[in-house]
């Protein structure tokens, strides 16, 4: 708890991905992307509670091993058009009976950032608190190789 706010993490890990097949199940050093995010969250001394939101029974079952709280996400929030805002709002509706949603800091940890660890999470939370921010988004400088990170369409 920080300044009377409970700090919780939300790890969105749907079963199917539109870009890269089975993306959340891809492994680095023997751990899937969603497991890496869950472990980083659990190691953070500033996060009070870790939630994994998924439509996949397999992801939820594996996440249970890490003592994460599980949120079964409806298919409506797992399609290509579902954005982070809709996933977070659905999550808040589901936990509203358990928590005062006005007294939460939500740390949204996408599994597709596997090199982020608990130190980065702690630094971000401290930055957020110290600057009295309303939101914070972490990014990484990719230098001059930007074109390798984009999808190039014909004639563009």
């Amino acid at each position: 708890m920080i300044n009377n706010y409970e700090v919780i993490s939300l790890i969105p890990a749907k079963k199917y991905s539109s870009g890269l097949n089975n993306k959340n199940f891809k492994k680095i050093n023997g751990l899937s992307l969603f497991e890496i995010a869950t472990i980083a969250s659990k190691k953070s001394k500033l996060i009070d509670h870790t939630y994994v939101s998924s439509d996949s029974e397999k992801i939820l079952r594996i996440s249970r091993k890490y003592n994460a709280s599980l949120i079964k996400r409806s298919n409506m929030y797992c399609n290509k058009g579902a954005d982070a805002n809709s996933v977070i709002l659905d999550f808040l509706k589901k936990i509203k009976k358990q928590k005062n949603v006005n007294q939460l800091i939500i740390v949204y940890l996408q599994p597709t950032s596997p090199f982020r660890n608990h130190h980065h999470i702690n630094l971000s939370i401290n930055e957020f608190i110290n600057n009295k921010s309303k939101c914070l988004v972490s990014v990484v400088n990719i230098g001059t190789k930007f074109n390798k990170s984009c999808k190039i369409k014909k004639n563009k």
Side-chain angles (χ1 to χ4, degrees):
M1 185 141 322
I2 300 172
N3 297 340
N4 294 323
Y5 285 88
E6 184 176 359
V7 181
I8 63 173
S9 68
L10 172 58
I11 300 165
K14 62 185 182 179
K15 185 185 332 184
Y16 300 112
S17 26
S18 51
L20 181 61
N21 196 24
N22 291 317
K23 171 177 60 188
N24 288 314
F25 293 100
K26 299 296 182 199
K27 294 193 176 198
I28 297 175
N29 294 329
L31 294 169
S32 64
L33 295 181
F34 72 89
E35 286 177 285
I36 293 168
T38 305
I39 291 167
S41 175
K42 296 298 281 185
K43 281 187 171 182
S44 169
K45 300 222 184 290
L46 299 177
I47 292 179
D48 299 309
H49 210 103
T50 299
Y51 290 85
V52 175
S53 167
S54 184
D55 59 328
S56 166
E57 291 299 329
K58 183 177 181 181
I59 289 173
L60 294 173
R61 185 177 66 251
I62 294 169
S63 298
R64 186 176 288 122
K65 291 190 316 188
Y66 297 101
N67 294 316
S69 292
L70 312 177
I71 300 290
K72 179 72 172 171
R73 193 176 344 156
S74 67
N75 291 335
M76 174 188 340
Y77 300 108
C78 293
N79 62 36
K80 192 175 184 174
D83 60 7
N85 287 338
S86 61
V87 172
I88 293 167
L89 288 173
D90 179 58
F91 167 72
L92 288 172
K93 283 180 200 168
K94 289 182 176 175
I95 67 163
K96 194 174 190 171
K97 291 178 184 164
Q98 304 167 13
K99 307 216 177 265
N100 177 355
V101 296
N102 295 317
Q103 294 293 316
L104 293 178
I105 294 172
I106 299 174
V107 181
Y108 190 74
L109 300 173
Q110 295 175 305
T112 50
S113 297
F115 303 112
R116 168 206 56 228
N117 61 39
H118 63 287
H119 298 294
H120 301 118
I121 293 168
N122 291 342
L123 285 170
S124 296
I125 293 170
N126 283 324
E127 181 80 16
F128 176 83
I129 297 298
N130 292 337
N131 289 308
K132 298 180 174 91
S133 300
K134 293 198 186 256
C135 70
L136 182 133
V137 177
S138 63
V139 295
V140 64
N141 183 351
I142 57 172
T144 59
K145 304 280 189 221
F146 180 73
N147 61 335
K148 286 188 170 189
S149 298
C150 297
K151 190 174 196 177
I152 299 174
K153 293 183 179 180
K154 190 174 180 178
N155 299 325
K156 292 185 180 179

